[in-house]
Amino acid sequence: MKAHMSFFQTAVEWNSLGLDPVALAIGPLAIRWYSLAYIVGILGGWWLLSRMIRRPGAPMNGGHVDDLVTWCTLGVILGGRLAYVIFYNPAQYLDDPLSILKLWEGGMAFHGGLTGVIVAILLYARSQGLSALRILDYLAVVTPIGLLLGRFANFVNGELWGRPTDGTWGIIFPDAGPEPRHPSQLYEAALEGALLLVILNLAFWFSSARMKPGLLGGIFVLGYGLSRFSIEFFREPDAQLGTLAMGMTMGQLLSLPMILLGLWLLATAGRRLPAGA
């Protein structure tokens, strides 16, 4: 008990936590936690989605799920990377365009990844004659797995830290100066990842939400948008951008359309024909 009490009496040095961005090194080959977060998130989503479609009224079959994993993986990577390049650090990549391909160095934007997934689903659903909106509902339930793992990986990397704090839970990150900072990566893991995962799975497995097109997708989009907008008050703005219009960060500006879309999906879910009607 005393050890735990002393832990919270002062800020914690990130270096003292014994974290290493490299999960496994074999000679020159280094496997990073950030890469593993993507891999495990995709596999975990695949596993859960494969079980979800066993419930009556599923909008797709096992073969569709296998194909969608490939389509959505490409959507996440291409959309996430391009959005990061365009919105967060265009100057760096204009100077060195080939560095866009260096995905292992990090630099992904969730809003872009989500857009890439939506485009992939629209194209795939159209090619197969499926309901894109209902597929989005199902994918919304599994997406928080990747968000949870990705934010943990950000913390392990010692990146995307928060703003300075006087709280004893502050973390002194090695590249962020001597001030204790909010561990905003963990706030995001809790809200965007764990909380949304629980809410969406409860709605899917213990209610008829999956039969109402747009409802689960609306919960996810609104929940993520509100969580990200709120946490941005504790997260350090990107150095190359700072604060933008009306004192908001880029993350907040990109979250506003998500909040509006989520509200619209929830407001109109009851007007759509139930699945199977």
Side-chain angles (χ1 to χ4, degrees):
M1 178 65 73
K2 290 182 179 179
H4 291 295
M5 291 177 64
S6 63
F7 180 86
F8 288 104
Q9 287 175 356
T10 183
V12 177
E13 289 275 358
W14 182 89
N15 287 329
S16 71
L17 299 176
L19 301 176
D20 188 343
V22 176
L24 178 65
I26 305 175
L29 176 64
I31 301 175
R32 296 178 173 270
W33 288 109
Y34 192 77
S35 300
L36 285 178
Y38 273 87
I39 294 170
V40 176
I42 291 169
L43 293 178
W46 191 351
W47 175 84
L48 181 55
L49 194 58
S50 297
R51 277 145 186 78
M52 290 167 58
I53 62 171
R54 298 176 186 175
R55 297 294 297 272
M60 53 189 161
N61 59 36
H64 295 136
V65 170
D66 295 344
D67 291 340
L68 272 171
V69 169
T70 301
W71 283 66
C72 290
T73 299
L74 291 173
V76 166
I77 294 173
L78 294 177
R81 187 60 167 175
L82 288 176
Y84 179 81
V85 170
I86 294 170
F87 292 111
Y88 288 93
N89 214 345
Q92 174 187 337
Y93 296 101
L94 285 174
D95 292 337
D96 183 15
L98 290 180
S99 63
I100 294 175
L101 303 178
K102 298 178 180 179
L103 299 176
W104 57 89
E105 293 183 354
M108 300 284 282
F110 172 78
H111 299 89
L114 177 63
T115 302
V117 167
I118 291 174
V119 171
I121 290 172
L122 290 173
L123 293 175
Y124 181 76
R126 182 175 182 180
S127 71
Q128 300 295 313
L130 303 175
S131 168
L133 187 56
R134 294 207 62 226
I135 292 175
L136 282 168
D137 281 336
Y138 274 58
L139 285 176
V141 178
V142 306
T143 298
I145 298 174
L147 291 173
L148 174 64
L149 297 174
R151 293 312 181 190
F152 275 135
N154 290 147
F155 184 75
V156 172
N157 284 350
E159 62 188 3
L160 304 183
W161 50 76
R163 304 183 191 215
T165 177
D166 294 329
T168 55
W169 57 85
I171 305 290
I172 301 174
F173 292 94
D175 297 320
E179 296 178 294
R181 294 178 175 274
H182 285 282
S184 55
Q185 314 96 321
L186 301 183
Y187 301 169
E188 292 184 89
L191 293 183
E192 303 166 5
L195 182 60
L196 272 180
L197 185 63
V198 170
I199 291 173
L200 285 163
N201 274 274
L202 287 175
F204 180 88
W205 295 102
F206 299 102
S207 77
S208 60
R210 71 182 189 281
M211 307 300 288
K212 300 175 182 178
L215 181 56
L216 292 170
I219 293 172
F220 171 78
V221 173
L222 177 61
Y224 179 88
L226 290 174
S227 297
R228 179 65 182 270
F229 190 92
S230 301
I231 292 170
E232 286 287 319
F233 288 111
F234 303 96
R235 177 173 163 172
E236 183 73 13
D238 295 88
Q240 70 275 19
L241 297 176
T243 53
L244 305 173
M246 296 180 288
M248 290 193 291
T249 65
M250 178 62 76
Q252 288 175 319
L253 289 175
L254 294 176
S255 293
L256 287 176
M258 293 187 68
I259 294 172
L260 295 176
L261 175 60
L263 289 171
W264 178 78
L265 286 171
L266 291 178
T268 57
R271 305 175 195 170
R272 302 186 187 93
L273 288 175

